[in-house]
Amino acid sequence: MDEDLSCREGVKTETSEVLFSFGVIADIQYADLEDGYNFLETQKRYYRHSLHHLQSAIEDWNGEEVQPQFVLQLGDIIDGFNAQHKMSEKALARVMEEFKKLKAPVHHIWGNHELYNFSRNYLRQSVLNSKYLQDQTWLCNSAREQHSTEEASAEFYHAYHFCPKTKFRFILLDTYDLSLLGRDSSTKKYQDSLHLLRKNNPNENLNSPVGLAEHQFVQFNGGFSQDQLDWVDEVLTYADINQERVVIVGHIPIHPDASNCVCLAWNYKDALAVIHSHHSVVCFLAGHLHDNGYCLDSNGVHHITFDGIIETPPESHAFGTISVYDDRMVLKGRGRVPNLVMPYRKHHNTMYCNNTVNSTVL
């Protein structure tokens, strides 16, 4: 069997008890609008029906024999068109009414469409701020957290981590920490982000990757500040020392073999360098692309990019449940999301899987 097939389709592995499971869903992008198309008019978007897909996913999770302990919502919960039609709050309330029916808590990631609809200050006070679910034990024990000022922590406010079970940690990243979206243009973070973007993208339309040496430097993407990368390094050092398994979650993919060249975080190489300097990371989960992407990188980290609900036809689905075992994680996909077995890496494991990614520009 080819190595990539064994990773993609699943292989016979030793059975063991499921420690816990969690749901994953990406890019719902609900709007009370007729169907439309993406910017390139290559993919149909089902704005109203995306809500029905969410309803179906919630019914499935609530009905599972081993119910998910939590759900990861990977960002872009409502579409940017809501802002143009002045119905952002109404659309968000409609989606959250469905999430209230879920029997498990939801961890919300912020994507570009959240920031088309709302400012970061608004999001901090909204139902999409799930940071209250963070690991309180870490907050009590971390000298960095104790001495950080409110202003400094706000720089990547939505990044946090939590432990659903002993020896397992989840880190949620703010992939729009560096970004023009959702920030007041008078702030230093906005000006720093604009300088970085202009340095790498001279196009009049900053959402255009045409002619760029690094195609990810477009306005609908974002990146990580050094402060956030240092924070991730600290958390992963703690995880290494305590022999934890870590899942990292962000809206934007950080590996080019799990995405196309456009839909990547601006400084994805910096993020990979931090992750690869530690041995605790099992996988990185992302959305944003709207199409499935996967690779097992040269350091043994699984990168999964989830299909988007927004571009899923009414007759299909696009969500999944990941079951966690002592030796692996197993993704049970629905509809467009394929099944996947993710064995935990061994030190110095250099295996990797090839992947196929569709070229969809958001």
Side-chain angles (χ1 to χ4, degrees), residues 139-157:
L139 292 177
C140 294
N141 294 332
S142 171
R144 180 186 178 91
E145 294 284 353
Q146 288 176 344
H147 292 92
S148 64
T149 64
E150 182 178 349
E151 181 180 359
S153 64
E155 288 298 293
F156 50 96
Y157 181 86

Side-chain angles (χ1 to χ4, degrees), residues 179-231:
S179 174
L180 305 188
L181 306 179
R183 291 193 182 277
D184 189 302
S185 60
S186 65
T187 62
K188 183 178 186 301
K189 184 59 70 74
Y190 179 95
Q191 293 299 324
D192 289 346
S193 300
L194 179 61
H195 175 75
L196 177 63
L197 185 57
R198 281 294 186 192
K199 178 181 177 181
N200 291 278
N201 186 343
N203 294 329
E204 182 177 353
N205 179 2
L206 288 174
N207 277 319
S208 173
V210 174
L212 303 186
E214 295 186 271
H215 292 84
Q216 76 272 18
F217 280 100
V218 287
Q219 188 169 333
F220 60 76
N221 292 333
F224 311 99
S225 67
Q226 188 59 52
D227 281 343
Q228 185 174 184
L229 294 174
D230 290 343
W231 171 80

Side-chain angles (χ1 to χ4, degrees), residues 121-151:
N121 287 333
Y122 181 97
L123 289 171
R124 287 183 195 132
Q125 306 299 322
S126 78
V127 292
L128 293 181
N129 180 7
S130 53
K131 196 172 183 178
Y132 67 93
L133 296 170
Q134 67 186 324
D135 182 359
Q136 298 298 325
T137 303
W138 167 273
L139 292 177
C140 294
N141 294 332
S142 171
R144 180 186 178 91
E145 294 284 353
Q146 288 176 344
H147 292 92
S148 64
T149 64
E150 182 178 349
E151 181 180 359

Side-chain angles (χ1 to χ4, degrees), residues 247-312:
V247 175
I248 302 182
V249 188
H251 181 66
I252 310 176
I254 63 167
H255 201 291
D257 290 340
S259 176
N260 61 33
C261 61
V262 176
C263 294
L264 289 164
W266 287 348
N267 55 339
Y268 71 89
K269 295 175 185 177
D270 295 334
L272 284 173
V274 172
I275 290 172
H276 290 164
S277 68
H278 298 274
H279 61 260
S280 49
V281 181
V282 174
C283 61
F284 188 100
L285 309 179
H288 195 50
L289 182 67
H290 294 179
D291 285 309
N292 176 265
Y294 170 75
C295 78
L296 179 58
D297 71 26
S298 59
N299 284 67
V301 178
H302 302 270
H303 295 262
I304 309 174
T305 306
F306 280 79
D307 296 272
I309 288 289
I310 183 62
E311 293 179 3
T312 299

